[in-house]
Amino acid sequence: ILHQKWKFIPQIERERIKKLSEIVKSAALKFKPFEFTPHRILFAPASRPRMIWLDFEKYSQFASFKKEIEDAIAFSQSRGLFKNFRPETREPNPHLTLARFEESYFVNIKSTIPREGIDLKSETRVFLANSIDIVESHLSREGAEYRLVQKIML
């Protein structure tokens, strides 16, 4: 199972999580499962590398999917349901975080991946996005703990 976090909604009341799930499910029903094709492995963000990403090809279907859900949540916010939601203004950048590291560690590993990344276009593997998981996170000194709130199938 792979997952990609593409929207963080700051703390919301527990009773509103159910409403959020309903909104996402309603928007998701308009879409069928879709594929992601790996593009390259690279350090990110380029300006101050702290992660290694598996970057995917950009697809209009993913952008439409993401926008549909963001618009549905924004509409609910305009009706007073959510206070802390900010629509994403950046272009969707589908990726998986493979590793995180302290910024100071980058000097030790920067030669392992070329600046432009490792090209994976010749690879034939694709990943199927067939669900949306709404996940609750709890931060502790030991790290983040995640709990599945709802799985919404596409």
Side-chain angles (χ1 to χ4, degrees), residues 134-148:
I134 297 178
V135 178
E136 184 177 37
S137 65
H138 297 278
L139 300 179
S140 70
R141 289 182 184 208
E142 291 80 38
E145 294 179 27
Y146 302 98
R147 182 181 74 82
L148 179 65

Side-chain angles (χ1 to χ4, degrees), residues 35-127:
E35 295 178 341
F36 286 99
T37 303
H39 176 212
R40 61 190 171 154
I41 294 174
L42 70 157
F43 289 115
S47 58
R48 292 176 42 210
R50 300 181 300 284
M51 295 172 273
I52 299 174
W53 282 359
L54 171 58
D55 199 34
F56 292 98
E57 296 287 340
K58 293 178 178 28
Y59 292 110
S60 60
Q61 185 177 5
F62 174 71
S64 298
F65 178 73
K66 190 172 184 299
K67 183 174 181 346
E68 182 75 28
I69 292 175
E70 291 228 0
D71 288 352
I73 295 170
F75 177 76
S76 295
Q77 177 174 311
S78 71
R79 305 179 110 199
L81 237 72
F82 304 106
K83 300 173 193 153
N84 300 325
F85 176 78
R86 282 186 224 116
E88 184 63 65
T89 56
R90 297 174 294 180
E91 179 182 338
N93 183 13
H95 66 275
L96 291 172
T97 301
L98 301 175
R100 292 181 183 273
F101 48 85
E102 293 293 324
E103 206 173 328
S104 60
Y105 188 68
F106 179 65
V107 71
N108 299 322
I109 61 173
K110 66 181 177 182
S111 65
T112 60
I113 297 175
R115 194 159 189 60
E116 65 280 0
I118 298 170
D119 189 346
L120 300 175
K121 288 182 183 173
S122 62
E123 297 291 323
T124 56
R125 177 174 291 273
V126 295
F127 297 93

Side-chain angles (χ1 to χ4, degrees), residues 21-37:
S21 296
E22 291 168 8
I23 291 166
V24 171
K25 186 173 186 174
S26 176
L29 288 174
K30 300 175 185 175
F31 293 86
K32 294 179 180 171
F34 52 93
E35 295 178 341
F36 286 99
T37 303

